[in-house]
Structure formats: structure tokens, C-alpha cells
Amino acid sequence: MFNGISGGGAEDLAQLQSTMRAIELACSYIQINTNPAAAEATILSLHQSPQPYKACRFILENSQVAAARFQAAAAIKEAAIREWSFLSTEDKGGLISFCLGYVIQHANSADAYVFSKVSSVAAQLMKRGWLEFTPAEKEVFFYQINQAILGSRGLDVQFIGIHFLESLVSEFSPSTSSAMSLPREFHEDCRKSLEQNYLKTFYSWAQDAALSVTNKIVESNSDVPEVKVCNAALRLMHQILNWEFRYSKGGTKGSINVFSDGIRSDTASSRKTEAVIVQPGASWCDVLVSSSHVGWLINLYSSLRQKFALEGYWLDCPVAVSARKLIVQLCSLAGEVFPSNNEQMREQHLLVLLSVVLPWIDPPDVISKEIEEGRSGSEMIDGCRALLSIATVTTPVDFDRLLRSIRPFGTLTLLSLLMGEVVKVLLANSNDKETWSYEARDILLDTWTTLLASMDGSGGNAWLPPEGMHAAASLFSLIAESELKLASASATTDEDDADCLASVSAMDERLGSYALIARAAVDATIPFLTKLFSDRVARLHQGRGTVDPTETLEEVYSLLLIIGHVLADEGEGETALVPDALQSHFVDVVEAGNHPVVLLSSSIVKFAEQCLDANMRSSIFSPRLMEAVIWFLARWSFTYLMLVEDRNLGSNQLQSLPSRACLFTFFNEHNQGKFVLDIIVRISLTSLMSYPGEKDLQELTCHQLLHALVRRRNICFHLLSLDSWRNLANAFANDKSLFLLNGVSQRSLAQTLVLSAYGMRSSDASNQYVKDLMAHMTSSLVDLANNSELKNLAQQPDIIMLVSCVLERLRGAASATEPRTQRAIYEMGLSVMNPVLRLLEVYKHESAVIYLLLKFVVDWVDGQISYLEAHETAGVVNFCMSLLQIYSSHNIGKISLSLSSTLLNEAKTEKYKDLRALLQLLSHLCSKDMVDFSSDSIETQSTNISQVVFFGLHIITPLITLELLKYPKLCFDYFSLISHMLEVYPETLAQLNSDAFNHVLTTVDFGLHQQDVDIVTMCLRALKALASYHYKETKAGNTGLGSHASGHTDPNGVFHEGILSRFLRTLLQFLLFEDYSTDLVSTAADALFPLILCEPNLYQGLGNELIEKQGNPNFKTRLANALQVLTTSNQLSSSLDRLNYQRFRKNLNNFLIEVRGFLKTK
């Protein structure tokens, strides 16, 4: 419809005008929402037309409708990217030159979004041809841009030139680049070339542009046009410094460790504010460090700041914001840009920047007051960001020393004073969440975290100077007092607010930073915390029965959270160690009972023990306070209780400290450890029995506290000797009140009790312990299933609750399977096999119970399958097949398509979780062939797992319709299993009957057309496995996929091609004509290669069809050559080995780049 390219012959002027009017009309219809479908179709036809460049140029140059010009620019981009491979060099350069000339010519246009789009198109096209253009050709473009940036053609053109470089840099940056259907290597090569050869030049051009207008801006008393150019230049410089520099001049990826030895890799894991470290390399020294660039920037901002000191709005004007951003960015300059033998240059650079930042933040109280009176807080916040940037590239000692050369105190003291002022403002404005102080607090906490996290695991605070320790202690004292005031105030408010500690984890992230500050000065902070806690506990006792304790209870709650973070790190997923700072201090302590950490810990344990008294429980220990108690005991016990010495050696210099020995021995098994362990177990039982309905408290007890105890093997030995633990196990088995726990707690408690069996002295004893523990559960399920009145009883609410509870407990026990207790848990599952099948039939309409039944079986099979002998495996497999058949016979989970319209969100997909559980069950059965600890030899294995799993799939796949596969979770689980089965057991698939085989492959075809890259990847891997299996088998003289691979004629005389032929067509269609992620090309190549080898005649025929469809003789020739090269270049052979796969991937990439553009052109 909209054909024409420059130089391709004259086009009738009337046709061009008609095209322009059609696009203008379509744009106006879209704006007023009149017949939008037709309007969009008109615009789409322009975008998809072959070579629409002349029409687009005509629209850009003549249309008075901005939206039409925008669409014309977009169409140029789409067509050029699509047709790039067959455009001539002159056409490619001409398109870029036209776009650049257009934005320069229309530099003063009021439609900024149009010229921004055209500029972006020029940048995208320049990147597309970047690796093709010679340096001389690039120089032609950049000469035009440089001339614009020099300002000789006016401020508007100067701004346009800078704006184009912004677009170009953005296009070359991986995070903001446009998709071009090209391999990742192309983008990386472009990035490397720009970084090494042009980025520094662009920075210098921007700097020169800003310099050219600086005097005019400084001398003017009002806003002048030059400000726009200066702001754009500053913005471009900031964008370039924000670049992720990877390459040095030599072409190797460069990196630098900006911290001292001992830095932890997770220092920024909890940070809310990221400071980007700028590491451009040694070649940038002359531009960023040696020159007067920093001085010019500082003078510009300082001059304007002084000039407009009385104009409060100026701090938020664009040029001020851009200048501050650039200053902050320069604060994080690091690496080889500073000569390695010139540390003084780096320190002087940071000191100069710190000097200009100081007036933004110091004195903190004065600036804070001005902000509260109406001044903008943006400068203060940027000052905080600057401190964070400096902290990111310095050690704590270097950071502190910077300020000492110009002030009587160090930078750490300033940081402490600044943070203290922010905390005071927060306390005064605790109800206003939109104040500047919240953002400032987060940034300053990240600064402390950056400085202190590097020392927290490397021998205490040996690097922190005494004044810095004093500053940290003072700041922590202020923070703690403020948090207690907030906690006290929250007792009288009704707001459900996270900052008012609505849950145990509400303050977790912030408290982690507070803990680092406290550990930087433990000599002061630990005794301080002990006094705070003791004072609050004493206040509770003194006012008991006469004074409302709510405010004090909130303070104790807050203190428990703070102390828990200071004394211990989170142990989730790793071994918890006593923080080095707590091990390395208190060197004068010689008696364990006098160690400050021991005193603080003991006072909290003693306080927690009081909850065992019913009167104290009713008057003091509310469910909310108990949550904090349980949380603290879980965190503390995993770090300090019955420590294993070699687990906490810490730094070498700590091992011989007497104070460390005091800390480690006080709570060990030979001292107070067993006594404290007993208290903790009794507290746990109390929280479960005495606080009915408190879900959060019970989950904390089961999942965190009790689970923390059994994670340590040495503690398990002592647990089983305690009467309190036996009481807990007895209550679990017999006390009806524990049956009221929710499902998660039931499961977690059962898992914990079974895991504790490790503490038995022998495997037989461990198994007997588990049998005794679970006997009541299994017998109740067996008795119920055997009850003749089961059908009538089953629907009673109390019976449903009982069954659900027992199944959760069985599932928890199954998930605790270990070699030591495997036999008992196997027998537990074996004893309830028939009851499970019986209940599956009875509860066929109770989806919640069905799901619990299935999940128990899934977890039990997962834990057992790799240990089972051949005859046991056969029994389990038969049980699983019976379960699948019963499930299928009742159509459980099968939803009528007439209802699917109501299942359009994630909540509704949970109705299919039982189907997902069944897929997981089949996946666990697969693992038997991968991991097998049984004593049987492979020859004695009587069960063919692959046949069993395919049979299981045959049973349940009719329930999994294509409609249901549109739901992500079910889809992923299904294709994970299908992909695994086809990759590992293609020979078993070949043995399936035609219907079962076709059903599996139909879903694979469906998966190929999903948008989820992971799903498509799994289907491509499955195709690769099938095709390579068939090719290798037939080459060896076997049948391979047999009749499934060969075509056949049905009774109606219709020919049906074989499955491999079908997928060869599908995959070629997919690669040549459909939209997909370039990440899929390599995986698709691995599938296409064996398909071509299996069906060479069809490949040749399909290629000939494509060639004949091309009306352009040039395209015919190029396509024929490309198809030939695809299967012959790079010494490609017919062997399916790794080297040939690699060669074919490269061939396919080149093939798609060569032909996909003109094949997709309509």
C-alpha cells in the first residue's frame, strides 16, 4: 500500500498525498476513539509495507499532524530493521542522514516527542549498521553531530545534537537497547566498540557544550535558553558515567575491588539505595581527574547556588538537579582512573567533592530546620547520596579521614550527627510518611551498612577509629531511644502501620542496619541495651496490677527485636556464627557469668521463662509479646545455644581470647546449655497450648523456634532426654488442643518431631521413636477408612478436620525423611496406602481434602523412592497408578470449558493445584532412575519407571486440556515433565500407541507457541531429543520412532505426514515468520539440525517452496544461497556431536540475519 524507496523511481504525488491523508485521518480517529480498529489497521499497513521510506519521508516533511509524523518515523525504523540485510549501503546511510538532518532542520519544533522519536530512530539505525560501517562512514555522521554540539548553528541545534547522543548511548546500553532480532553477541560487540572508541569523546563533547554556555547562565539574572543546553549536557555526562564499564583499551573485561580484603559479597543485599561505582579505566584520567572538569562543575553549581540563595525553588530546577546528580556520580569514581601509585590524587578528588557537598548537609540541625520551614529537601537528600557514594569506594578509615583535613572531626562523626538529626525529625513527624527524612534515613542507613558490613565478618571493628566508635555508640543510643518512643506511642494509636511494628518482621531490614551500628561500638551498646531491657522489665513488675503495662510492653517488644538483631544474624540457609565484633571485645572479662553478652542473653531468657507462670502470662505476656519472645529465642538459640567450637572459630586472632571462651562455654552442654534448652522447650509448649487461635505465634513456634533446635544435631541428642520434649511429643500425639493448629503448623511440628529422632543412639531406636510418634495418626486414619459408616461420617465437619489434620501431620513426617528414619516413614506410608485410596473416593467432591491427600503422597514418594528395593518400588508404583486411575475416573479437577471464563486470574488457577501435584508425583517417580540407594542391582529392577510415568501421563493428560495449559503454573510443571521424559526416555515414547503419542506431541506443539521462553525452550529440547534419537537409531539400522515418524493415509484417503515432518515445517515457520526472543535461537538450532537430517527431502522441498514464492529475483538468489549455506558452511557434517551443533547454531544465526527481514516483509 505504501511502497517506495529513495531512488526507486518516481511516485505519483497524488499517491503520496493520499497516503499522508490516510495516516493523518487514522491518527485523528485514534485520538477521538472513533473506529479505532480500522485506524490501527491503516497505521499497521504503513509499518508493514515493503520499503515505505519515500511515503514516510513525505509525511515527515509535509504533514501538519504531529501524530502522523510520529507514526512515519516509527514505520521507517520498523521497515529498516526488518529489511536491513537487503538495503544497499547508500540506502542505509541515507536513512540515517535523513533522520539526523530532519531533527537538526526542525530543532525549534514545538512537537518535542516527534523529533525525539526521529532522533531515536537515527540512533537505532546507526546501531544496526554499527559493525558494518567503516570508521570513515561513522566519522561522517559524527562530524555532523559534533558541528551541531559546538553551538555554531544555534542553541536549538546544539540541544538536538546532545539529545541525539543521549539516544545513541541509551541504544547501546544493554538495559535500554531496542530489540533487533539479532544475537546477543551483536549487542555486546556494539557495546564494546562504543565504550572503547567513542564514549569518552561523547563525554568531552558534552563537557565542551556545557562550558560554552556556562558564563551566560552564571551572568544572567533569569532563566535563559542556554540553561536547556547546559542541562542536556549535564544529563548526558551523568548518563555516560552511569554506563556499566566492562572493557579496558586492551579489550578485556576490567574489574576492581574497591574495598579492602575481607569484604563480604552480600554487603549490599539489603540496601534500598544503590550507589553505582564508576570505573571507566585509566584512559579517562585526563578527562575526569587531571583536567579542571570537577572544578568547573563545582564552580558552576556553587555560583548558581549562591546567586539564587534566596530563591527556594531553584534547588529543584532541572539544571540544579542535573548538576547535583553529576557531582554525586563523581563521588563514586574508582579504579584505574586514578593511577595506582597516586593514592593522594584519589583522596584529593574525594575531598574536593566532599567540600562542595558539606554546605548541603552541615550543620544538620540548621538545614533540617530550614527544610521544615519550607525549603526543598532535595539538596540534603543528594548530600546523603554523596556520602553513600564516597562510602562505596573507601574503607571506613579513609572515609573518616577525609573530613579531618578541613574540620576538627572525622566524616564518621558528621555521618552520625546527620543521621541523628534525621532520626529526631522522623520522631517528630512519625505520622507523616511523605517527608524527606524517610528517604534520607534509608540512604544514611545504607551508608552505614556499606561502611560497616565489610568489617562485620573480618575480626571486629579493628579499622574503626576511636572517634568513629564513639560516634556509632552515640547514634545507636539515639536510635534505640527513638524506637522505644515510637513503640510506646504506637500503643495508643489504632493505625495498622508497618512502622508501628504490626508484625515481627516489619522492622527487619532496618534493624539489620541498626545492628551493624551497634556492633561497631559493642563496648558501649551491649551494656546500654542490657540497662534498657532491665529498666523496662523492672517497670513491668513494679506497676503490675496497678498501671496499664501496654506502653511498656510495646517497648519490650521493640527491644527484643533490636537485641535479637544485634546479638545474632539470620541463620536461614546457612550456619549462624557469633558476630566477630561480639567475640573480639570485652577482653578484660575472665568469668563467663560477667560477660556482657551473657548477661544480656540471660536476662532475656529469665524474663521469657516467666511466661510459664499462668498469672504472669495473663498480666504481661500477651500474644503479641510472645511473638517477639519466640522470635528472639529462635534467632538466639541457633547462634549461641550449645555451640560447637569448630563451627565458630572466627578470625585467627580471636581464637585465643579468654573473653571468647567465656562467651562460648556459658551456654554449652556442660554449663547452662541444657537448662536453657529445657526452658525454651517448655516455653514452646506453652505458646502452643495456652494461646489457642494465635496463628502467627504458633507458626513462629513451630517453624522457627522448634525447627531451629533440631537443625543442630548436637542439640537433638539432648532434646530427647528432656521431659519437656517428651511432653511435647505426647501432646502432639494425644492432646486434642494441638489438633486445632492450622495446617502449616501441623506439618511443621510433625516434621520437627521426626527430625529430632536423629538424637537417638541408633538407627533402630530412631525408627522406633518415629513409629511411636506417628502410630496414633496412622491408626486413626486406618480405623476411619475401615469404618462401615464412612460415607455418612466423612462429611461431618469434625471428621473432615480430623482427616485434614492427620494428613498434614503425615505430610510433615514424610518431608522429614532421612536415611536414619527412612524405614519407619516408609512403613508409615505403607500402612495408609489403602485408606488413602478409600478416602480419595469418599472425598471426591472435597477439593481441599483431595489436595492434602495428593500432597502427602507426593512428599512421601519423593522421600522414599530412591531408597526402595525392587519389590517395594513395584508396590509403591502400583499404589500411585491406582491413585491416578481413581482420580481420573471421578474426573476430579476436570473443569468444563463453559466455566473457563470465570477462571481468568491466578486465584482461580489454584483449583488445578491437585493436577500439578499429580505431575509432581510422576516427576518424583522419574527420579528413581536418576538416584537409587537401594541394594538391588540394575538387572533385578522389575519396574520400568519410564513406562509407568508415560502410563501415568496417559491417565491424567485427558484432564489437562489445552485450555488449562494457558495457566502458567500448571503449564510449567507439565512441560518440565514432558521435556524430561522425551529427553531421557525417547525409546519409551516410541512404544506408545498412536493416540497417546499424538496427545503428547500435540501439547508439545502447543508449547512451542507459548510466550514463556522457558516453556518454548523445554519443548525445543524435547524435539531435539526425539529427532536425534530417531536419526541415530535409523542410522544404526533400527526403527527409531517407527510408524510415528512415517506418514500414513487414513481410511478417507487423506495423507497425514509423520511427526518429524510436521515439526520440521512448524519450526521453520516459527524461525522465519514468527516473533520470538533471540535467546531461543540456539536451542531452536539444536532441534532443527536433527530434524533436517531426519527429513532432508522435505527440507529441500520446503526451501524450494520459499524460493518460488519470492517475486524479487535478487531475493530468490539470496534465499537459495542462504539455504545452501545453512547446511554446508563451517565444515558442517551429518554427525550429531557437540562440534556440529555449535557449527549449526552459528549457521542458523547468520541465515536468519540474512533472510528473515525480506521474508517477513509483506
Side-chain angles (χ1 to χ4, degrees), residues 77 81 117 120-121 123-125 127-128 167-183 186-187 1078:
K77 177 256 179 178
I81 295 296
K117 180 64 176 179
S120 174
V121 170
Q124 291 166 351
L125 298 186
K127 180 182 178 181
R128 180 60 184 86
S167 300
L168 192 67
V169 173
S170 177
E171 194 57 51
F172 278 71
S173 178
S175 61
T176 51
S177 62
S178 303
M180 295 182 177
S181 297
L182 293 170
F186 169 83
H187 296 279
T1078 55

Side-chain angles (χ1 to χ4, degrees), residues 754 757 765-775 813 821 824-825 828:
V754 171
S766 294
N767 278 296
Q768 188 60 49
Y769 175 84
V770 174
K771 288 180 183 178
D772 294 341
L773 180 70
M774 302 305 298
T821 56
I825 296 175
M828 176 194 78

Side-chain angles (χ1 to χ4, degrees), residues 655-913:
Q655 297 179 28
S656 59
L657 291 176
S659 59
R660 180 181 179 277
C662 293
L663 179 59
F664 275 55
T665 57
F666 189 80
F667 295 108
N668 70 11
E669 59 190 34
H670 304 297
N671 201 330
Q672 298 296 308
K674 193 169 182 178
F675 173 72
V676 172
L677 178 62
D678 182 61
I679 292 174
I680 291 175
V681 174
R682 289 160 59 203
I683 291 172
S684 300
L685 184 56
T686 298
S687 71
L688 295 176
M689 302 285 286
S690 302
Y691 293 87
E694 294 295 336
K695 175 185 172 183
D696 292 340
L697 173 60
Q698 291 162 352
E699 286 188 8
L700 277 170
T701 304
C702 295
H703 189 67
Q704 290 196 27
L705 178 52
L706 292 175
H707 194 63
L709 299 180
V710 298
R711 284 172 68 186
R712 298 255 298 280
R713 300 301 194 187
N714 62 311
I715 291 182
C716 287
F717 293 122
H718 297 283
L719 276 176
L720 294 179
S721 67
L722 296 176
D723 289 338
S724 55
W725 190 257
R726 285 191 286 271
N727 292 338
L728 176 63
N730 184 62
F732 169 78
N734 302 302
D735 197 305
K736 291 184 178 180
S737 63
L738 289 188
F739 277 77
L740 299 176
L741 299 178
N742 66 22
V744 173
S745 297
Q746 297 278 6
R747 190 162 65 246
S748 181
L749 183 56
Q751 181 188 47
T752 296
L753 289 167
V754 171
L755 286 173
S756 71
Y758 186 90
M760 289 295 183
R761 299 300 176 182
S762 68
S763 180
D764 289 342
S766 294
N767 278 296
Q768 188 60 49
Y769 175 84
V770 174
K771 288 180 183 178
D772 294 341
L773 180 70
M774 302 305 298
H776 180 68
M777 307 302 124
T778 55
S779 62
S780 63
L781 210 60
V782 171
D783 292 343
L784 179 64
N786 292 333
N787 193 309
S788 59
E789 298 295 322
L790 175 59
K791 287 188 177 181
N792 296 326
L793 291 172
Q795 305 309 318
Q796 296 177 10
D798 57 330
I799 299 298
I800 293 177
M801 189 193 78
L802 173 66
V803 171
S804 300
C805 175
V806 170
L807 288 173
E808 289 283 17
R809 292 181 173 197
L810 292 176
R811 183 182 170 194
S815 65
T817 301
E818 291 187 339
R820 194 179 180 92
T821 56
Q822 178 268 327
R823 177 51 44 183
I825 296 175
Y826 167 70
E827 292 175 358
M828 176 194 78
L830 189 66
S831 68
V832 297
M833 277 186 178
N834 290 329
V836 164
L837 297 179
R838 176 81 171 117
L839 293 173
L840 190 66
E841 291 183 334
V842 171
Y843 285 109
K844 59 185 177 183
H845 299 303
E846 290 287 343
S847 59
V849 178
I850 291 298
Y851 180 66
L852 292 178
L853 282 165
L854 296 179
K855 288 303 291 183
F856 159 61
V857 175
V858 168
D859 289 346
W860 180 69
V861 170
D862 184 32
Q864 296 296 313
I865 192 70
S866 58
Y867 296 99
L868 301 182
E869 305 296 340
H871 68 283
E872 295 170 335
T873 301
V876 170
V877 165
N878 289 335
F879 164 68
C880 292
M881 292 303 102
S882 298
L883 181 142
L884 289 170
Q885 287 172 328
I886 294 172
Y887 179 90
S888 179
S889 67
H890 293 298
N891 285 324
I892 301 171
K894 187 173 183 180
I895 304 297
S896 170
L897 292 182
S898 63
L899 300 179
S900 61
S901 61
T902 66
L903 308 175
L904 298 177
N905 53 59
E906 189 65 21
K908 295 294 184 182
T909 68
E910 291 305 317
K911 291 187 177 181
Y912 308 110
K913 58 188 178 182

Side-chain angles (χ1 to χ4, degrees), residues 237-276:
M237 286 188 278
H238 178 266
Q239 180 189 22
I240 292 173
L241 290 186
N242 217 27
W243 181 274
E244 185 183 350
F245 291 93
R246 288 187 179 180
Y247 299 97
S248 65
K249 264 297 182 185
T252 58
K253 289 190 177 183
S255 62
I256 164 182
N257 179 5
V258 297
F259 293 108
S260 306
D261 292 338
I263 181 65
R264 285 171 22 176
S265 61
D266 62 342
T267 54
S269 60
S270 63
R271 283 172 27 176
K272 293 184 177 180
T273 311
E274 292 298 326
V276 178

Side-chain angles (χ1 to χ4, degrees), residues 5-136:
I5 185 168
S6 179
E11 182 174 1
D12 184 69
L13 179 61
Q15 179 62 39
L16 289 173
Q17 291 174 336
S18 174
T19 299
M20 181 176 72
R21 284 195 296 271
I23 298 300
E24 289 175 343
L25 192 60
C27 291
S28 64
Y29 280 167
I30 289 177
Q31 289 176 343
I32 63 176
N33 198 28
T34 300
N35 199 6
E40 289 171 3
T42 301
I43 293 172
L44 187 62
S45 66
L46 175 67
H47 286 220
Q48 295 182 343
S49 293
Q51 303 180 344
Y53 312 110
K54 197 168 187 179
C56 293
R57 178 171 180 171
F58 185 83
I59 295 172
L60 279 166
E61 292 177 335
N62 296 280
S63 177
Q64 301 301 310
V65 178
R69 299 198 300 275
F70 181 91
Q71 292 296 342
I76 289 177
K77 177 256 179 178
E78 286 192 28
I81 295 296
R82 183 177 64 241
E83 301 173 355
W84 191 265
S85 61
F86 58 86
L87 290 178
S88 67
T89 302
E90 292 76 14
D91 286 337
K92 295 172 183 176
L95 286 172
I96 298 172
S97 295
F98 167 73
C99 291
L100 289 176
Y102 180 85
V103 293
I104 290 174
Q105 182 182 351
H106 298 81
N108 58 354
S109 170
D111 299 314
Y113 76 97
V114 175
F115 84 72
S116 180
K117 180 64 176 179
V118 178
S119 180
S120 174
V121 170
Q124 291 166 351
L125 298 186
M126 186 170 286
K127 180 182 178 181
R128 180 60 184 86
W130 190 261
L131 301 182
E132 303 171 22
F133 296 147
T134 65

